[in-house]
Amino acid sequence: MNRSQPLVLGIESSCDETGVGIVRGTDLLTNTVSSSMDEHVRFGGVIPEIASRAHLDAFVPTLQAALAEAKVTLADIDAIAVTAGPGLAGALMVGVCAAKALAVATGKPLYAINHLVAHVGVGLLDSQSGTAGGPGNAPSLPENLGALLVSGGHTEILRIRSITDDVELLGSTIDDAAGEAYDKVARILGLGYPGGPAIDRLAREGNAKAIRFPRGLTQPKYMGTAEEPGRHRYDWSFSGLKTAVARCVEQFEAKGETVPVADIATAFQEAVVDVITSKAVLACREHGITNVLLGGGVAANSRLRQLTEQRCSAAGIRLHVPPLDLCTDNGAMVAALGAQLVMAGSEPSGIAFAPDSSMPVTTVSAPAVELAGTAAA
Amino acid sequence: MLILAIDTSAVASAALVSDDALEGVVGSFSTEDTRTHAEVLAPGIEKLLAEADVTGADVDAIVVGVGPGPFTGLRSGIATARTLAYVWGKPLYGLMSLDAVALEVAESTEAAPEFLVATDARRKEVYWARYTLQVGQLPRLVDGPHVGFASDLPDLPAYGAGAGLYSDVLRADPDFSTEQPDALYLGQFALARLEAGEQLMDSTPLYLRESDAQVPGPRKRAL
Ligand SMILES: [Zn+2]
């Protein structure tokens, strides 16, 4: 296997995007994505079974398109990488089975990759804002790196000492993901799906001071102190916020008043963005993190970017935001992390691993497992 | 003609069948349980090919059971089959998974001329289909597949794990009361039908049930 500039094909199917990306070392050759988002609109959120059905039908055409765009054949590929978790179990299953079949059919090594760590991996692609490599040098991740991942499926702050073998979860949501909270609140306010862009747009018109919503898990008993951190010092919770918005709307309706939708959207967005950024920056400061990579679909949110930038710079932290099509779920990030593992000499995962819907970030790629007992006739 | 058959509508199974081989079987494997398809299927297929000393180039066609069956498991076989067919550049056919049990029934000595095949559909329901059988012929699907309560099925001899599960209301054949669709029979069925010049289906899954997603109703207003 070519371990210096490996050609790696990455497959992503953990939520509603079927992604196939191909990289050569740190060069992005294609980032092909097929999304089932439109099919979820009438339900106001991602329906796992609909996403899984869409993955099954999208996989081969997406693979075909990716190979054509990258102008490579499967025979040229050095290794295959696939998201093994975390994510929706049924959705992961489709990508994992397809990736394993690809490995069987081509004889190429397969890496079972952590989706969250892959979000950080895009920072290692050439000409991404996360790269710190000088001219002629392979890009490398900046020192003292953290990653803030915010999407419809996750909300996490990570510390990355080594992208291939030392990643730590500092904090995460204990209930809804931030993007999920946007979708639910957008539904309460009658703004449609996906909720993020709709609320972000409306929030520019509202009065941020008119209403104030609670910031979850910020009470002293959860926060503790830097020396004696509380249980949820760097964690988030958005389900209480969603309930507060619903109550607020009900109160206006009960009084027979017009619901100030723009003000509520603004106040909601402020609450989300405030608590995400303040806790993320706190976690960074208390862990010596001086570089933060922003990932996940909610990275598109204008207010989140603005406040993250503002608070990071005030704390002396440098913020890196990859292009948006690499922030949302995609196969390129899986390929990028796969290439890093190949270059680092990591062992492939084999084809007997199980997808893991709650794969911890400490597992960057699944270790090879012994073949499960199959009764051969 | 060498066929690689795959079925994951209940258990995970795969088989290599060929008109050249003794009794048509080159090799096969199947698992006991119905929830580890993603783990065992690819290693099973790899081993199957290695033990038979064949490669993708030697395979003439791929046949996959398109259900009905529990969705996630069903998809693992179809995703696998579609990918193998694409990479190897081979034709891919779908076969209704209950046909596998029907062929197994037809090959037993005491098969009834008309019978049901039923598998577990979970949620207290079965996937089922009705077949007729003439001596020396392949079983013929005359009704189904359907999903429903065992107690609503026609009063006919019933075969398969779904019949065994509801033997209180079905005329379940005890010899077949734990039988699941197996790629071995599916492959043989496909081989026989292809040789008879019949058309087979494509690999579109037979889910039979909607995705269960509910379109949210309008939010209740406070007044
Ligand atoms: Zn993601």
Side-chain angles (χ1 to χ4, degrees), chain A residues 42-43 47 49-50 52-53 56-57 59-60 63-64 67 74 90 93-94 97-98 100-102 104-106 187-188 249-250 253-254 351-355 371-372 374-377, chain B residues 28-31 38-40 42-47 49 51 71-72 75-76 78-80 82-84 86-88 205 207 209-211 213-217 219-223:
Chain A
R42 66 200 178 101
F43 303 104
I47 305 297
E49 177 57 24
I50 291 177
S52 300
R53 291 182 181 190
L56 179 65
D57 290 336
F59 177 70
V60 169
L63 171 65
Q64 223 164 349
L67 291 168
L74 286 169
M93 199 77 80
V94 178
C97 286
K100 288 182 174 188
L102 213 49
V104 169
T106 61
R187 206 177 96 63
I188 293 169
V249 169
E250 280 163 18
E253 285 172 350
I351 56 169
F353 67 89
L371 294 191
T374 52
Chain B
S28 73
F29 86 91
S30 64
T31 59
E39 291 100 297
V40 301
I45 291 171
E46 191 178 56
K47 198 166 155 218
L49 294 169
E51 283 174 355
F71 308 153
T72 299
R75 273 190 291 268
S76 51
I78 298 175
T80 301
R82 284 182 179 177
T83 307
L84 292 175
Y86 168 69
V87 179
W88 289 338
Y207 290 120
R209 285 181 180 137
E210 288 305 311
S211 65
Q214 300 277 324
V215 176
R219 196 180 51 82
K220 282 204 203 88
R221 300 181 72 86
L223 275 182

Side-chain angles (χ1 to χ4, degrees), chain B residues 60-130:
Chain B
D60 296 300
I62 296 171
V63 168
V64 65
V66 293
F71 308 153
T72 299
L74 180 61
R75 273 190 291 268
S76 51
I78 298 175
T80 301
R82 284 182 179 177
T83 307
L84 292 175
Y86 168 69
V87 179
W88 289 338
K90 304 293 179 177
L92 172 65
Y93 303 108
L95 224 67
M96 207 268 278
S97 296
L98 301 179
D99 286 356
V101 178
L103 183 64
E104 212 179 334
V105 171
E107 288 181 353
S108 75
T109 46
E110 288 150 58
E114 189 167 13
F115 62 90
L116 306 178
V117 171
T119 57
D120 183 13
R122 300 177 184 168
R123 301 186 211 170
K124 300 196 166 73
E125 291 184 315
V126 292
Y127 295 118
W128 67 277
R130 188 154 59 107

Side-chain angles (χ1 to χ4, degrees), chain A residues 97-358:
Chain A
C97 286
K100 288 182 174 188
L102 213 49
V104 169
T106 61
K108 309 291 182 182
L110 176 62
Y111 290 81
I113 280 187
N114 187 299
H115 174 89
L116 299 177
V117 183
H119 269 299
V120 186
V122 290
L124 278 158
L125 290 171
D126 278 324
S127 73
Q128 297 316 311
S129 55
T131 60
N137 292 335
S140 60
L141 286 171
E143 289 283 281
N144 306 319
L145 180 68
L148 174 61
L149 307 179
V150 191
S151 79
H154 34 81
T155 310
E156 289 94 12
I157 177 89
L158 313 179
R159 169 158 66 179
I160 299 97
R161 289 206 182 87
S162 156
I163 186 125
T164 53
D165 60 13
D166 192 353
V167 181
E168 186 189 348
L169 181 72
L170 300 179
S172 69
T173 178
I174 61 165
D175 40 55
D176 295 347
E180 209 178 343
Y182 268 93
D183 291 337
K184 289 176 176 174
V185 164
R187 206 177 96 63
I188 293 169
L189 298 177
L191 299 175
Y193 175 85
I199 289 178
D200 196 16
R201 216 176 302 120
L202 200 60
R204 290 182 198 135
E205 301 159 20
N207 174 3
K209 302 272 187 270
I211 300 160
R212 186 183 158 86
F213 289 121
R215 274 69 168 153
L217 302 182
T218 53
Q219 298 92 321
K221 63 174 172 175
Y222 298 121
M223 297 298 290
T225 61
E227 293 72 35
E228 281 180 61
R231 258 189 65 205
H232 294 300
R233 188 167 180 80
Y234 313 123
D235 291 335
W236 296 278
S237 164
F238 299 107
S239 72
L241 175 56
K242 173 198 66 193
T243 311
V245 171
R247 291 271 152 71
C248 176
V249 169
E250 280 163 18
Q251 278 167 13
F252 280 105
E253 285 172 350
K255 285 185 279 181
E257 293 172 17
T258 319
V259 177
V261 174
D263 289 350
I264 294 174
T266 311
F268 163 77
Q269 172 146 298
E270 278 308 304
V272 171
V273 167
D274 176 35
V275 76
I276 287 177
T277 53
S278 62
K279 286 207 173 201
V281 168
L282 183 70
C284 291
R285 287 166 57 173
E286 292 178 2
H287 287 85
I289 290 167
T290 53
N291 282 280
V292 167
L293 186 129
L294 186 61
V298 186
N301 185 284
S302 66
R303 183 65 181 138
L304 179 69
R305 288 172 86 124
Q306 184 188 42
L307 197 62
T308 310
E309 232 148 68
Q310 197 179 310
R311 288 184 170 168
C312 279
S313 87
I317 297 164
R318 205 172 143 218
L319 181 67
H320 308 260
V321 189
L324 191 65
D325 61 340
L326 292 175
C327 283
T328 50
D329 292 348
N330 65 83
M333 68 188 203
V334 181
L337 179 55
Q340 290 297 319
L341 289 163
V342 172
M343 291 188 280
S346 305
E347 285 303 307
S349 308
I351 56 169
F353 67 89
D356 179 0
S357 57
S358 55

